[in-house]
Amino acid sequence: MITTPGFLPAAATRSAVPAMVSTQWLCDHLGSDTMVILDARGFGLPDDLSEARCTRIPGALFADRISVDAAAFHRMAEHLGITSGATVVVYDRASDTTPGAASPAQRLQETFAIFGYERVSVLVGGFPKWNAEDRPVEAAADSAAA
């Protein structure tokens, strides 16, 4: 393999993250300086997001509208603190992860991949599973929107 001095292939510059993560995995990594959690319960839906606006996983940011324009997408990612070294975990209101049925979190994961962000995982079971397990939640009143 030929490489340019100072350049490493993309796979060599970052560790792999799983496409799907469990609630236990997220709980174990909650509060990491290199992790950004995105709440996609309102992704692609009308403005009535009262359910998603009540509580969230601690530190989660709302991903309501994501631009498909490359420059705007990268600005949004930077604004949210999503850098090349960040791990992103996306969740929605999905109660299962049925193969072939793309949830809002999975669509958002695919959108990130299109723009070159490879460290994006979907939370298995979404917010319903997180909440059913009595994991920590916080009031979402002060959350920023993507």
Side-chain angles (χ1 to χ4, degrees):
M1 172 189 223
I2 299 173
T3 61
T4 304
F7 173 79
L8 293 173
T13 61
R14 58 183 149 264
S15 60
V17 297
M20 310 286 278
V21 296
S22 69
T23 53
Q24 185 60 54
W25 184 95
L26 180 55
C27 197
D28 291 346
H29 293 86
L30 207 57
S32 167
D33 290 341
T34 60
M35 185 166 47
V36 177
I37 305 169
L38 295 179
D39 182 333
R41 289 179 289 172
F43 183 64
L45 298 177
D47 289 336
D48 182 17
L49 304 172
S50 56
E51 173 194 345
R53 297 291 188 202
C54 294
T55 59
R56 64 178 178 178
I57 292 174
L61 304 172
F62 290 111
D64 298 344
R65 293 174 198 85
I66 303 294
S67 176
V68 294
D69 170 76
F73 187 89
H74 291 298
R75 280 193 305 275
M76 177 274 312
E78 182 179 333
H79 172 73
L80 294 174
I82 301 171
T83 63
S84 61
T87 297
V88 178
V89 176
V90 186
Y91 69 91
D92 55 28
R93 61 173 60 100
S95 58
D96 64 30
T97 53
T98 307
S103 70
Q106 290 166 320
R107 290 195 318 269
L108 190 54
Q109 180 186 43
E110 291 170 6
T111 303
F112 271 95
I114 289 169
F115 291 110
Y117 296 86
E118 298 174 1
R119 298 181 52 82
V120 181
S121 301
V122 172
L123 180 65
V124 174
F127 190 77
K129 185 172 191 310
W130 180 271
N131 201 36
E133 294 173 352
D134 288 327
R135 302 223 182 247
V137 295
E138 65 183 13
D142 297 328
S143 178

